[in-house]
């Protein structure tokens, strides 16, 4: 795939918005709809994990290619079509500046190019996409490859916010970029707080928490201080849900009126879940979500009770 072709397919977010949707047309509630959430395609991790060398391993990713192809095929078969497909980070395993990164990225772009053109891709940055401690250079590389690292967009009266959670994890090497996202987020949350949207939903790679707002700090969550401050800010603004990945297992919990949804991976599993995708249905009153294995979604599609919600 040429750089121009990649830009046409993947550079969806520019100027802190998603050009696949017209914000003016999409600000009005038009009835129930659904979208698909995936996470952690992470080309290369399955080989690295199996060899016990997660830092330098990952020189094969044929399994991840096949799983992501299966995910794309399952999504393309869905009827009615989802409004969009969001990938919540760790697109490839190779960190910035390490071997295999370009090859993994190229192969993922090739697979994702097969997504139905009527189903926009929403790309979220993860720690393997930016580095655990991102720099201005790694952020710029992501933006050139996949689009903006944080942005907002509207679909059917719902406001969606995509965050760069690495700024919340370790912004020591790019403090000005974190400050810029913080300022932008405050502006976006002001819109949500004024009830100018039916719902407001956040996508980010690292979960606020895995089960409880008071749980201990862990590699797979944000620190207590950061998570509590952000969770309070989100709940004050009326954010209904945060969808994330990173954990490679299904998890989640609630904090006040905020639903923290942690979805397992399309790629490597670190627990007992199966490779899968999450179906998220949005009605006027509620957000209903269900995790499907790739086989389940491919063979059976969205279950009838969720389809019924879309008719309300």
């Amino acid at each position: 795939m040429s750089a121009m072709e990649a830009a046409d397919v993947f550079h969806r977010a520019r100027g802190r918005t998603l050009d696949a949707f017209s914000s003016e047309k999409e600000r009005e509630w038009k009835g129930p709809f659904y979208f698909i959430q995936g996470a952690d395609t992470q080309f290369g991790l399955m080989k690295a994990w199996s060899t016990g060398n997660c830092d330098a391993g990952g020189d094969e990713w044929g399994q991840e290619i096949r799983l992501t192809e299966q995910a794309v095929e399952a999504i393309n078969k869905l009827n009615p079509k989802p409004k969009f497909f969001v990938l919540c980070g760790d697109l490839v395993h190779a960190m910035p500046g390490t071997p295999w990164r370009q090859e993994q990225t190229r192969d993922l772009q090739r697979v994702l190019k097969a997504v139905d053109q009527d189903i926009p891709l929403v790309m979220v940055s993860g720690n393997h996409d930016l580095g655990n401690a991102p720099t201005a250079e790694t952020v710029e590389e992501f933006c050139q490859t996949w689009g903006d690292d944080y942005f907002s967009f509207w679909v059917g009266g719902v406001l969606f916010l995509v965050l760069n959670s690495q700024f919340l994890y370790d912004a020591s090497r790019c403090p000005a970029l974190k400050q810029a996202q913080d300022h932008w987020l405050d502006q976006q949350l002001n819109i949500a707080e004024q009830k100018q949207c039916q719902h407001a939903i956040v996508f980010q790679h690292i979960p606020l928490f895995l089960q409880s707002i008071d749980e201990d700090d862990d590699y797979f969550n944000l620190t207590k201080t950061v998570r509590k401050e952000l969770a309070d800010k989100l709940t004050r603004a009326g954010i209904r849900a945060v969808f994330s990945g990173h954990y490679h297992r299904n998890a989640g919990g609630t904090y006040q009126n905020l639903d923290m949804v942690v979805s397992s991976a399309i790629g490597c599993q670190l627990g007992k879940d199966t490779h899968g995708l999450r179906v998220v249905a949005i009605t006027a009153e509620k957000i209903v979500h269900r995790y499907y294995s790739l086989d389940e979604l491919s063979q059976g599609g969205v279950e009838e009770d969720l389809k019924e919600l879309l008719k309300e």
Side-chain angles (χ1 to χ4, degrees), residues 69-83:
E69 287 175 339
Q70 185 181 1
V72 170
E73 291 167 4
I75 291 168
N76 287 347
K77 286 165 58 177
L78 294 173
N79 184 27
K81 294 178 182 178
K83 284 290 188 179

Side-chain angles (χ1 to χ4, degrees), residues 3 14 43 66 76 83 87 89 104 128 133 142 170 178 203 205 208-209 213 263 276 292 294 302:
R14 283 286 181 260
F43 281 21
R66 290 188 290 274
N76 287 347
K83 284 290 188 179
L87 262 176
Q104 290 172 3
H128 281 263
F142 179 88
D170 184 354
K178 178 191 184 297
F203 299 124
H205 179 62
L208 298 174
F209 54 86
I213 191 75
S263 292
Y292 288 82
L294 296 181
V302 177

Side-chain angles (χ1 to χ4, degrees), residues 146-161:
W146 299 107
D148 284 352
D149 56 323
Y150 62 91
F151 55 95
S152 64
F153 62 100
W154 291 81
V155 178
V158 178
L159 175 62
F160 294 93
L161 306 179

Side-chain angles (χ1 to χ4, degrees), residues 298-310:
S298 180
Q299 295 167 12
V302 177
E303 290 169 294
E304 287 302 319
D305 61 327
L306 289 183
K307 286 186 176 180
E308 285 298 316
L309 291 176
L310 304 177

Side-chain angles (χ1 to χ4, degrees), residues 89-296:
D90 277 5
L91 309 176
V92 300
H93 180 62
M95 291 278 194
T98 64
W100 316 116
R101 184 173 174 86
Q102 290 184 344
E103 293 85 352
Q104 290 172 3
T105 299
R106 182 182 63 240
D107 282 347
L108 179 58
Q109 289 183 331
R110 175 180 55 79
V111 174
L112 292 179
K113 192 178 181 184
V115 174
D116 188 315
Q117 291 187 351
D118 292 330
I119 305 173
L121 283 163
V122 180
M123 311 303 286
V124 182
S125 62
N127 58 303
H128 281 263
D129 306 310
L130 300 170
N132 286 321
T135 67
E137 290 74 23
T138 65
V139 171
E140 178 60 23
E141 181 204 342
F142 179 88
C143 293
Q144 289 296 323
T145 305
W146 299 107
D148 284 352
D149 56 323
Y150 62 91
F151 55 95
S152 64
F153 62 100
W154 291 81
V155 178
V158 178
L159 175 62
F160 294 93
L161 306 179
V162 173
L163 300 185
N164 179 341
S165 58
Q166 289 314 116
F167 292 159
L168 306 170
Y169 181 81
D170 184 354
S172 60
R173 302 175 69 186
C174 55
L177 295 183
K178 178 191 184 297
Q179 291 173 3
Q181 177 176 261
D182 289 346
H183 178 67
W184 171 88
L185 179 59
D186 287 342
Q187 294 176 322
Q188 298 297 315
L189 293 179
N190 187 51
I191 295 172
E193 193 168 4
Q194 293 175 20
K195 309 302 181 190
Q196 296 177 17
C197 51
Q198 190 75 21
H199 303 293
I201 293 172
V202 168
F203 299 124
Q204 61 187 57
H205 179 62
I206 303 177
L208 298 174
F209 54 86
L210 300 175
Q211 295 177 315
S212 167
I213 191 75
D214 296 317
E215 69 194 20
D216 291 339
D217 294 352
D218 187 273
Y219 172 77
F220 290 108
N221 60 21
L222 295 175
T223 63
K224 284 184 181 180
T225 302
V226 172
R227 89 173 72 121
K228 187 68 163 57
E229 180 182 353
L230 180 56
D232 285 338
K233 184 182 291 189
L234 297 181
T235 55
R236 280 197 303 270
I239 301 295
R240 295 290 303 276
V242 176
F243 289 88
S244 69
H246 190 50
Y247 192 43
H248 294 255
R249 285 153 283 200
N250 287 310
T254 57
Y255 173 66
Q256 298 182 19
N257 294 321
L258 180 70
D259 194 7
M260 179 66 247
V261 184
V262 185
S263 292
S264 196
I266 293 172
C268 187
Q269 301 298 309
L270 301 185
K272 297 180 180 180
D273 295 296
T274 54
H275 312 281
L277 295 163
R278 190 172 297 275
V279 174
V280 186
I282 311 289
T283 74
E285 300 299 328
K286 56 189 176 181
I287 299 167
V288 181
H289 53 87
R290 186 172 301 159
Y291 187 84
Y292 288 82
S293 73
L294 296 181
D295 288 340
E296 288 171 339

